[in-house]
Amino acid sequence: MFCRNCGYLVPDGCEYCPKCGCRASDLFDDLNASPDRPAAEKFSYFSLLSPRGWFSFRGRLSRKSYWIRLIMLTLLFMAPAYTIYLCTDDQGNIRSVSASVLALAMIAALVTAHLSLWTRRLHDLNLPGWLTAILFLLSFIPMAFQIICLILGCLPGRSGRNAYGQDPSAGS
């Protein structure tokens, strides 16, 4: 069985994915696995495109997955920011309301995805997800956002299973 979230090969009989902590109901059989290259290796980076992994507030997230997703989110934030820039004139007046609304909806989705990353990293540190709310409020202080991202990305997660699932870095 392979995990739909991270693509890791889950041994038979496991209730959770050893790498990301997803439940067994989130696993699938890959019948197209070739013997020279396992399906988990093929699938792992493809899972980054799945919206399920971006907006989930359950389970744990390894440092590697955190950094990859954080870089992708940073790059994705440029699109709505540039759209808003194009929709304003020199005096700061909005020229296109519909494009601005679309850009704000994109920003809301990206902020939600970012909060999901923070929550799952806190879970990997065996800390409750509600701390994300405090971190979010603190992130409005200048430079605090970057410091929070750096700290969450550098602190090693707790080894083995914790209250939020299996160790996502087990087996990698």
Side-chain angles (χ1 to χ4, degrees):
M1 301 279 262
F2 293 93
C3 178
R4 287 186 191 267
N5 187 42
C6 68
Y8 186 76
L9 176 62
V10 179
D12 290 334
C14 284
E15 186 177 345
Y16 295 93
C17 171
K19 188 167 185 177
C20 71
C22 282
R23 294 181 189 259
S25 61
D26 295 335
L27 306 178
F28 70 100
D29 289 318
D30 190 351
L31 303 175
N32 300 323
S34 63
D36 57 322
R37 187 171 179 199
E41 186 180 330
K42 290 184 210 172
F43 186 78
S44 63
Y45 288 103
F46 179 72
S47 69
L48 292 173
L49 301 176
S50 167
R52 182 178 199 171
W54 287 93
F55 299 103
S56 172
F57 289 85
R58 299 176 71 186
R60 297 169 64 177
L61 189 66
S62 68
R63 285 186 287 179
K64 178 182 176 182
S65 294
Y66 172 80
W67 283 114
I68 290 170
R69 289 172 190 259
L70 184 66
I71 291 168
M72 290 176 72
L73 276 176
T74 302
L75 294 174
L76 288 171
F77 260 108
M78 290 181 198
Y82 189 64
T83 303
I84 290 174
Y85 169 75
L86 291 176
C87 292
T88 56
D89 58 17
D90 294 338
Q91 289 81 27
N93 299 323
I94 297 175
R95 290 185 288 188
S96 172
V97 174
S98 59
S100 297
V101 169
L102 176 65
L104 291 175
M106 290 169 47
I107 288 172
L110 292 170
V111 166
T112 303
H114 195 86
L115 294 176
S116 166
L117 288 183
W118 280 3
T119 301
R120 291 170 48 208
R121 274 304 294 154
L122 286 171
H123 286 173
D124 195 38
L125 299 169
N126 206 21
L127 296 170
W130 61 264
L131 290 174
T132 303
I134 295 171
L135 294 178
F136 179 70
L137 293 175
L138 289 174
S139 69
F140 289 100
I141 299 171
M143 291 298 295
F145 178 81
Q146 291 84 354
I147 293 169
I148 293 168
C149 288
L150 186 64
I151 290 172
L152 287 176
C154 291
L155 287 175
R158 300 289 186 241
S159 300
R161 184 167 179 70
N162 70 15
Y164 304 100
Q166 286 284 4
D167 186 355
S169 59
S172 63

